[in-house]
Amino acid sequence: MYQGYFKLFINRSCVTLAEIHSSSFYVLSQLAPWPTNIYQSMAIFSELNNGLIDFDQKSFAIAAASIAFNPIFWNIAARQEYHNKVLTTLAGGNARHGCYVLAVTIFSLGIFRDFLYEHALRAQPSHPLLETAVAKYIAYVLIAAGNILVLSSMWALGVTGTYLGDYFGILMDDIVTGFPFNVTDAPMYYGSTISFLGVAVLFGKPAGILLTAEVLVVYLIALRFEDPFTAGIYQKRAESQKKNINYAKKEL
């Protein structure tokens, strides 16, 4: 009796799998001609999107471009400074003044990016689930938590520590291990991401959540470049200090 049910189950499963395979092949075959059916694919995506995000708004694309641009800019500028002393030269040979110029530039770009982000959100459709009282409270908590991480990080590092002073030869004496670095190793980046998410929820805009995801991705990519490079700078200092100590011992 059980064998009969088992055979029946196998037969029905095989039929179902065959139907799925046939349907999948048909869908793929319909999407295959390029570029004719790319518009059909976009239409399907638009239906799934169901009005959550308006990709036709130029402000959305501009905000996305600004989010991607900022970390690219400061990494290129910092590397140029480290290898060629571009900003130090422009600052009359004063590395600290060059770092201050970069700090003001990065800060200004960040303010402008936030303005573009908010402008983009205002042109996007809202979602009822993000317009509830609970969502608003969550938004305020996220914004507060994000700003605490960012501001406490700036306080712990100072201006030069926050704005890539390492690339100018302005190194920290010791690794900062207190708050917020005992919570996360990149409080500026994660705090900023959390703040972006909080603003998206506060405005009730799904587009903001998507842009927040972009913020997180570009920051994670930036960390993959910045962390090893910065570690290398401090490693060189440690090796130099060790050589100086050994030289001093030989002189004695």
Side-chain angles (χ1 to χ4, degrees):
M1 176 172 141
Y2 293 108
Q3 292 179 350
Y5 282 119
F6 180 76
K7 289 180 180 179
L8 179 62
F9 171 77
I10 293 297
N11 290 334
R12 288 183 176 177
S13 299
C14 290
V15 171
T16 303
L17 288 173
E19 290 175 348
I20 292 173
H21 178 270
S22 177
S23 300
S24 301
F25 182 79
Y26 175 77
V27 170
L28 291 174
S29 66
Q30 292 299 307
L31 294 177
W34 169 267
T36 305
N37 284 333
I38 186 66
Y39 300 106
Q40 295 179 6
S41 302
M42 293 175 66
I44 292 172
F45 178 78
S46 297
E47 291 179 4
L48 293 175
N49 179 37
N50 197 26
L52 292 177
I53 302 172
D54 186 359
F55 290 101
D56 292 330
Q57 291 290 336
K58 291 183 179 180
S59 58
F60 180 86
I62 293 172
S66 175
I67 289 169
F69 171 79
N70 283 14
I72 294 173
F73 164 78
W74 70 60
N75 271 282
I76 292 175
R79 298 265 180 138
Q80 283 296 313
E81 168 59 28
Y82 181 78
H83 292 296
N84 303 313
K85 302 299 179 186
V86 174
L87 296 174
T88 296
T89 302
L90 292 175
N94 190 313
R96 189 168 294 273
H97 289 173
C99 184
Y100 291 156
V101 170
L102 181 61
V104 171
T105 304
I106 293 174
F107 184 81
S108 301
L109 286 173
I111 296 295
F112 186 57
R113 175 204 58 191
D114 294 347
F115 166 77
L116 293 175
Y117 175 66
E118 181 177 336
H119 180 67
L121 293 189
R122 293 185 184 280
Q124 288 291 321
S126 303
H127 193 280
L129 290 178
L130 299 176
E131 295 181 312
T132 63
V134 174
K136 300 302 179 188
Y137 288 126
I138 293 174
Y140 291 132
V141 170
L142 289 172
I143 293 172
N147 278 283
I148 288 172
L149 287 176
V150 170
L151 295 175
S152 60
S153 174
M154 294 179 68
W155 178 265
L157 296 176
V159 175
T160 56
T162 300
Y163 293 103
L164 305 169
D166 319 276
Y167 293 74
F168 292 81
I170 307 170
L171 306 185
M172 303 284 291
D173 294 330
D174 298 299
I175 297 175
V176 180
T177 56
F179 184 83
F181 291 91
N182 56 358
V183 176
T184 172
D185 57 348
M188 285 285 293
Y189 286 170
Y190 291 123
S192 177
T193 302
I194 293 171
S195 295
F196 267 87
L197 180 59
V199 172
V201 176
L202 183 64
F203 279 76
K205 309 291 186 175
I209 297 176
L210 180 59
L211 289 174
T212 299
E214 183 197 359
V215 171
L216 179 60
V217 169
V218 298
Y219 280 162
L220 290 176
I221 294 173
L223 286 172
R224 292 181 66 87
F225 287 93
E226 294 171 7
D227 283 350
F229 198 85
T230 304
I233 293 174
Y234 281 90
Q235 180 63 30
K236 287 182 178 179
R237 183 183 70 169
E239 293 174 356
S240 178
Q241 290 175 342
K242 186 177 180 180
K243 288 181 180 179
N244 292 335
I245 292 173
N246 292 335
Y247 180 78
K249 288 181 177 178
K250 289 180 181 179
E251 289 293 318
L252 293 174

